[in-house]
Amino acid sequence: MRSLIWMRLAAGASLAAGVLAAADVHKPKAPHPAIGDPEAIEAGRQLFTSGCAGCHGLTGEGGRGPKLRDSGMWHSLDDEALFKIIKFGIPNTEMPGSHQPDEKVWQTTAFVKALGSPAIEAPPPGDIRHGEEIFWGKGGCGGCHGLRGKGGKAGPDLANVGGMRSAGVIRESIVDPDADATEAWRKVSLTLHDGSVREGLLRNRNNFSVQIQDAKGEIHLALASQIKSITLAKSSPMPGDYGKRLTRKELDDLVAFLSRQSVRPAESVLASAGR
Ligand code: HEC
Ligand code: HEC
């Protein structure tokens, strides 16, 4: 743990030094070619699955080792520092390091970075067209999800899913809709004091009111004072068996398609991230 804190300080210090240096030198260092490269990320995913997932989880969700996606102190490190952690481990902790040739370690680094970046910045390989077909056809996804003006309203609009979520999280949302334990979009039934019952999808609730969405997509508000009881479904209304119903390739293609759904093009996402 001590070494972790030390590294955090070191990262902060080098950040400050970087700000000073930036006054004279405006040229940022070019990232290693593996970073953001779909093939390298895919190779890294396989290395990660065999060497790291046992502790960090298949999509970096954490376990014996810390969560690597969405959060984590490694986000404050530059690519070289992350590479070193992955290659050599963190001394005096359970983090062993991979000790593999540099090329493989860079692939793993590219994958770990992709875990914490929006999918559009590190889109996985796959047949995008085919993914789109599955989305509107075999998968029946468009029945519930909107995408650029088409599709249903029984689930979140996915027009910016690739700009907000990492490819790993998108994949997990498809094969395991209950993994993310939010209650929004769950089926809900409200019994009011006047005896009437309202059913729909839960969109929001706080101490004072509950918002539900009816089958037509319209939102209704019920005040807490009106509500006698609330019954909330325990699981997501999204089918939980896509991992079985879709082949591995269909799933890869679907994730590749969704990863490209962003309201901003990749270049501007990268530019605003300061890279
Ligand atoms: C035996 C379990 C184990 C294995 C295998 C493992 N790790 Fe770790 N990893 C850990 C633990 C525990 C930590 C936290 C160490 C500490 O206390 O700072 C960690 C920390 C990290 C960190 C820093 C995370 C942060 O934000 O603090 C990264 C990045 C990382 N591991 C990547 C990997 C990669 C990539 C692999 C595969 C090459 C891997 N790990 C293999 C257990 C493991
Ligand atoms: C019966 C309606 C329904 C169907 C069919 C459905 N979904 Fe969903 N989906 C939802 C709902 C509701 C949520 C939000 C709650 C949750 O995460 O479970 C959701 C969440 C998601 C998310 C996470 C969105 C986010 O903002 O993080 C993704 C990605 C997704 N679905 C993709 C798909 C894909 C791909 C298919 C087809 C293979 C599909 N869904 C089929 C209802 C559906």
Side-chain angles (χ1 to χ4, degrees), residues 46-56 96-98:
Q46 285 164 22
L47 292 164
F48 189 90
T49 302
S50 53
C52 325
C55 289
H56 291 284
S98 80

Side-chain angles (χ1 to χ4, degrees), residues 146-197:
L147 200 55
R148 283 179 259 112
K150 269 176 40 179
K153 287 191 169 161
D157 188 279
L158 297 179
N160 196 32
V161 72
M164 289 187 326
R165 315 262 186 244
S166 70
V169 169
I170 293 176
R171 176 179 291 267
E172 188 187 69
S173 306
I174 301 171
V175 295
D176 186 7
D178 289 325
D180 163 20
T182 61
E183 32 172 66
W185 297 97
R186 298 267 149 111
K187 279 190 185 142
V188 67
S189 167
L190 303 180
T191 305
L192 304 185
H193 287 299
D194 68 10
S196 64
V197 174

Side-chain angles (χ1 to χ4, degrees), residues 48 52 68 79-90 95-100 104-106 108-110 112-113:
F48 189 90
C52 325
L68 295 179
D79 298 349
E80 307 277 330
L82 182 58
F83 170 91
K84 283 192 187 129
I85 288 187
I86 295 173
K87 176 137 183 160
F88 302 110
I90 304 177
M95 169 60 195
S98 80
H99 301 283
Q100 284 186 314
K104 292 195 168 174
V105 179
W106 274 115
T108 314
T109 305
V112 170
K113 281 207 74 125

Side-chain angles (χ1 to χ4, degrees), residues 139-141 144-145 154 156 165 173-174 177 185 236-239 242 254 258:
C141 320
C144 288
H145 292 286
R165 315 262 186 244
S173 306
I174 301 171
W185 297 97
S236 167
M238 177 159 154
Y242 282 124
L254 197 51
L258 290 176

Side-chain angles (χ1 to χ4, degrees), residues 222-245:
L223 297 175
S225 58
Q226 298 175 292
I227 301 170
K228 192 170 158 209
S229 67
I230 301 184
T231 314
L232 189 65
K234 285 201 185 64
S235 53
S236 167
M238 177 159 154
D241 60 354
Y242 282 124
K244 290 189 204 116
R245 259 202 275 159

